[in-house]
Amino acid sequence: MSGWLIGMRRPAALLCTFALMLLSSTAYSAPNLAAGATYYGGYHTVVGHEQHNAAVAAAHPELVKLYDIGDSWTKAQGQGGHDIQALCITKLAPDDCALNSTGKKPKFVLHAQIHAREIATGEIAYQWIDLLVSSHGVDPEITELLDTRELWIVPIANPDGVDVVASNPARPLLQRKNVDDSAGECQAGYPGVDLNRNSSFRWDANQGDPCTEMYPGAKAASEPETVAIQGFLAKIFPDTKGAVDAPAAASTTGVFVTLHSYGNDILAPWGYTRTAAPDQAALVALGNKMGGFTGYPVFTGDGGIGYLTPGSTSDWLYGTRGVPSYTFEIGPRTGWCAGFLPPYSCIASTFWPLLKPALVYAAKAAATPYGQLP
Ligand SMILES: [Zn+2]
């Protein structure tokens, strides 16, 4: 992580003001700052998220640790780009929020915007961060969570892709993948690797060619973003899974939610096959509890979306660590807040009120996801 990120100290509430953006532009030189902190009515750019992450870490040192967990593809090429950032939020005690699996507090991980054009997802992560850092000692339920859980957030898993989306602020571009064009130019469609098909669990070469939306990359975990996310999750969750087709250890702790759009449903493992996961009943039971807050039904296999998803992040984490892992598809298929690019007002009016209690519940459930649910 760069020094300018850590050194910033300013009130988060002022981050979006124009005057502060001008002030910021003289304070340090980040290559993408010209894009501004927001686009399309209020959505945060990657720079906006980075400023926010740094601001909450600086303002709440008793609650927040901010990590650089790896590079975007462009940064790995030495062409600008971004660090992938992860925050850990808890009432910090010694050894809390370390990048290892020895922490005593169960972990809930919220992971967003691995598909860049699914723009509501990063905003939900942003709202979740603000809720957590503003609620300790204020809201009894969130205070209890912060005292007993590690709340990890990766707000932007695909920052290069989000830069592309936000490069047209009034009409965001529909970039889904990262921007790795090493497989060559595209006559139609966009180059890039689908990071949610690139994991090293059940990676499948036959998901599409380099110019299609689900191109899985030249090999499993070929992309630096995948290496960053897998490396991060492998550090914080112990390896207790055993064989792929064996159930998770009953003592497994943790819950993982990756946010996508759209469909108003929850996808639980497996995504790569229609065969039931060894813990399918428990995975669906917890999914149904979370879905009770959002009204989202729970599907496995190709249910809900109509196709299989080999190489996904959530299958990788459940398949290698046993951690219950879910894909939330935020947003309806029709209507004012539908699709990849809902108006920014939909975050506050529709999505956040549904997601907030589901995420609080997921964090509570991280203590005993295969035991007695809260
Ligand atoms: Zn997606």
Side-chain angles (χ1 to χ4, degrees):
M1 127 196 7
S2 310
W4 65 267
L5 276 172
I6 294 307
M8 287 172 58
R9 284 181 180 272
R10 60 176 56 110
L14 295 178
L15 277 175
C16 299
T17 67
F18 184 61
L20 194 64
M21 286 161 56
L22 289 176
L23 183 65
S24 299
S25 68
T26 60
Y28 50 83
S29 57
N32 307 87
L33 197 61
T38 64
Y39 66 105
Y40 196 50
Y43 285 94
H44 291 87
T45 60
V46 178
V47 168
H49 278 277
E50 290 171 344
Q51 291 175 340
H52 182 242
N53 294 345
V56 296
H60 303 280
E62 77 289 1
L63 296 176
V64 181
K65 285 196 177 183
L66 174 59
Y67 288 103
D68 163 11
I69 59 171
D71 291 341
S72 70
W73 186 83
T74 301
K75 182 157 190 184
Q77 301 300 305
Q79 300 167 1
H82 298 273
D83 296 326
I84 313 289
Q85 296 192 340
L87 301 93
C88 181
I89 306 180
T90 192
K91 179 62 178 157
L92 282 162
D95 303 325
D96 281 352
C97 288
L99 272 181
N100 61 48
S101 64
T102 61
K104 294 185 178 63
K105 294 174 178 171
K107 293 160 179 152
F108 170 57
V109 180
L110 183 67
H111 170 268
Q113 220 158 349
I114 190 172
H115 286 154
R117 67 190 179 188
E118 298 167 15
I119 63 174
T121 65
E123 293 305 312
I124 297 301
Y126 195 106
Q127 296 290 324
W128 178 238
I129 292 165
D130 279 352
L131 172 73
L132 296 175
V133 299
S134 65
S135 298
H136 193 265
V138 177
D139 177 290
E141 186 179 39
I142 306 298
T143 300
E144 169 79 8
L145 269 192
L146 289 163
D147 288 343
T148 60
R149 302 287 186 275
E150 289 183 7
L151 296 318
W152 289 84
I153 303 104
V154 180
I156 302 290
N158 178 10
D160 286 351
V162 176
D163 276 349
V164 174
V165 171
S167 67
N168 191 340
R171 290 187 60 136
L173 302 184
L174 291 175
Q175 177 78 22
R176 166 183 168 99
K177 305 182 286 182
N178 77 351
V179 301
D180 177 357
D181 62 356
S182 56
E185 295 298 311
C186 295
Q187 296 298 320
Y190 302 103
V193 173
D194 184 348
L195 300 174
N196 203 37
R197 300 293 183 280
N198 186 239
S199 90
S200 50
F201 185 82
R202 294 296 188 261
W203 181 83
D204 179 355
N206 300 313
Q207 290 297 297
D209 68 47
C211 298
T212 60
E213 295 286 24
M214 296 181 192
Y215 175 55
K219 61 185 171 82
S222 58
E223 303 311 294
E225 295 91 345
T226 307
V227 171
I229 298 294
Q230 287 190 183
F232 156 65
L233 294 171
K235 285 191 184 92
I236 68 168
F237 288 114
D239 185 358
T240 59
K241 179 63 161 60
V244 166
D245 49 3
S251 60
T252 299
T253 63
V255 171
F256 175 85
V257 169
T258 178
L259 299 177
H260 287 253
S261 283
Y262 47 87
N264 279 352
D265 48 33
I266 294 175
L267 311 177
W270 299 121
Y272 81 90
T273 177
R274 294 173 188 85
T275 303
D279 299 291
Q280 178 160 299
L283 292 165
V284 170
L286 174 50
N288 280 329
K289 288 275 198 173
M290 296 186 290
F293 296 97
T294 57
Y296 298 172
V298 179
F299 298 102
T300 62
D302 63 357
I305 51 176
Y307 49 84
L308 296 170
T309 57
S312 72
T313 317
S314 52
D315 269 8
W316 179 86
L317 183 59
Y318 170 69
T320 63
R321 292 294 188 270
V323 175
S325 300
Y326 299 90
T327 299
F328 281 30
E329 294 280 2
I330 298 172
R333 296 171 194 276
T334 59
W336 179 248
C337 295
F340 294 125
L341 306 175
Y344 185 68
S345 62
C346 292
I347 303 298
S349 70
T350 304
F351 300 145
W352 178 239
L354 294 175
L355 270 297
K356 174 187 165 184
L359 299 180
V360 169
Y361 183 86
K364 289 180 184 173
T368 55
Y370 294 118
Q372 186 69 41
L373 293 177

